[in-house]
Amino acid sequence: MLPYVAFYLFLVFAASLKVSRGVNLLFLGVFGIALLLFMGTRYWVGCDYFGYLMRFDRIDYSGDISAYALMEEPGFHLLNFLVHSLDLEYVWLIFFSSLIIVVCMIRFSLLYPRSLMVLALFFPVLVVQLGMSGLRQAIAVSFLMLSLVYFCKGSKLGTAVVILLATTFHQSAAMFLPIAFLAGRDVSAKKLLIIFLLASPLVALLLGDRLSVYQDRYIDQIYGEVSSGGALIRFILLLIPCAMFFWKQSQMKERYPDLFPMMNLFMLITIALIPVAVMSSIALHRIIYYVMPVSILVFLYASPMVFSRRFVRVAIYAPAIIYGVYMLSWFSTSRHANICYVPYQSELMISGPGYRSNF
């Protein structure tokens, strides 16, 4: 647990320093590289490690590139193909995947002046729980972040193209394709509902056979009733900034007009997730990761508005404290956390003939 807590505290400490924009960008680059090495060189860490190692070793990637471009979720297959064609080891698949994730995260974090604080709040859930244990969806979520940069610029085409790219790594990202039609427009619950209804046939087409898989797994639960208590706790992390946003909605719109449509959109989506939380916490578990980046951004922007000027420092650190307490609680109480993440090991620390000795 200590390496994770230490990394988080270093991020929060660096983010809390009052520095110029140039130094902030320097910090962002340095910690971005550190984060890439932390994620990208992990060795037998994360619940996805063995599964993706099996795919990497057992799927034949010696064929023509066109064969993999036509497979389901081709982006990840093409990434595997690239690593194999360069005659590289499995760790490079994790490294290149982490590189995509970190670059997209950094670009999204620039939507907030203290960009490093965004990266810090990403660490407990989006980096550790998703990026180090759900590689394909982590890449998809990261591309969604990148698409939201285009969304804030009012670019429908840019938003749509990047979301489509996200679906090549995890088809569940297709459910967010309708938001591209809302880029550059005021967002309301009515518009959101109409757009999603009109675009639902396209989303169903993109999901293909996955649609029936998701229905069987998350709605009908034909494989047995499964729940995720952790998802409900993470949903509370989304509801806190959501409540702040709607409390200070008029001020948020006045101060941050360029970001407000995106914030409003995702806070409406957060409210729409309440029935999902009641029906299937497992489905909620998947969707939360897509909503959390904007939720964190809202948390950072709205917190100073909720607290009075006398408590401005509390406002700045409140999000970091809440996410820090969540991470500590998770590592202290979750069997899953201790099985998959402890101890932390890196390829940078492993050498000699013992490589893959656990395989």
Side-chain angles (χ1 to χ4, degrees), residues 104-317:
C104 292
M105 282 183 170
I106 288 176
R107 181 61 189 91
F108 181 84
S109 72
L110 292 172
L111 295 176
Y112 185 69
R114 293 192 175 192
S115 308
L116 199 56
M117 188 61 82
V118 178
L119 213 58
L121 296 190
F122 282 171
F123 187 77
V125 178
L126 295 175
V127 171
V128 176
Q129 292 185 342
L130 180 62
M132 295 173 66
S133 202
L135 208 54
R136 288 184 303 116
Q137 190 180 359
I139 297 173
V141 170
S142 299
F143 277 127
L144 178 65
M145 291 187 214
L146 183 61
S147 76
L148 293 174
V149 175
Y150 289 98
F151 183 92
C152 291
K153 294 178 180 179
S155 173
K156 293 178 177 62
L157 180 61
T159 305
V161 167
V162 181
I163 292 176
L164 286 172
L165 182 59
T167 66
T168 68
F169 287 89
H170 206 281
Q171 284 179 292
S172 62
M175 71 180 81
F176 288 91
L177 186 60
I179 72 173
F181 297 103
L182 294 169
R185 298 181 179 181
D186 290 331
V187 177
S188 66
K190 182 179 178 181
K191 286 182 181 178
L192 182 61
L193 179 61
I194 291 172
I195 288 294
F196 270 86
L197 287 174
L198 291 175
S200 57
L202 176 60
V203 172
L205 179 65
L206 289 170
L207 286 172
D209 294 337
R210 280 281 170 179
L211 188 61
S212 60
V213 172
Y214 291 152
Q215 180 173 342
D216 291 343
R217 185 180 299 167
Y218 301 131
I219 300 174
D220 299 335
Q221 298 193 22
I222 65 172
Y223 306 110
E225 189 173 339
V226 182
S227 63
S228 173
L232 296 174
I233 296 172
R234 287 188 289 276
F235 189 46
I236 293 172
L237 292 178
L238 300 189
L239 290 175
I240 294 171
C242 185
M244 290 180 171
F245 175 82
F246 286 114
W247 181 14
K248 299 294 181 179
Q249 190 173 16
S250 57
Q251 289 177 250
M252 295 284 285
K253 185 175 184 178
E254 182 181 345
R255 292 190 189 182
Y256 312 112
D258 293 339
L259 299 177
F260 182 81
M262 176 189 68
M263 293 178 176
N264 193 34
L265 170 63
F266 276 81
M267 293 306 98
L268 289 171
I269 292 174
T270 301
I271 296 298
L273 288 178
I274 293 175
V276 178
V278 175
M279 290 190 302
S280 171
S281 59
I282 293 296
L284 181 72
H285 162 76
R286 284 288 183 190
I287 302 171
I288 277 176
Y289 295 122
Y290 289 109
V291 180
M292 187 163 278
V294 178
S295 177
I296 285 172
L297 200 65
V298 169
F299 207 169
L300 290 168
Y301 273 117
S303 187
M305 296 182 185
V306 172
F307 291 90
S308 65
R309 291 184 179 180
R310 289 186 303 168
F311 299 102
V312 64
R313 287 193 174 274
V314 175
I316 292 172
Y317 292 111

Side-chain angles (χ1 to χ4, degrees), residues 55 59 61 68-69 71-82 168-169:
R55 289 176 59 150
I59 296 178
Y61 285 106
Y68 309 107
M71 296 178 92
E72 186 178 70
E73 297 175 340
F76 195 68
H77 283 292
L78 290 173
L79 192 57
N80 275 269
F81 175 81
L82 172 66
T168 68
F169 287 89

Side-chain angles (χ1 to χ4, degrees), residues 92-108:
W92 287 99
L93 174 66
I94 298 177
F95 185 86
F96 289 144
S97 299
S98 300
L99 178 62
I100 295 170
I101 294 167
V102 171
V103 168
C104 292
M105 282 183 170
I106 288 176
R107 181 61 189 91
F108 181 84

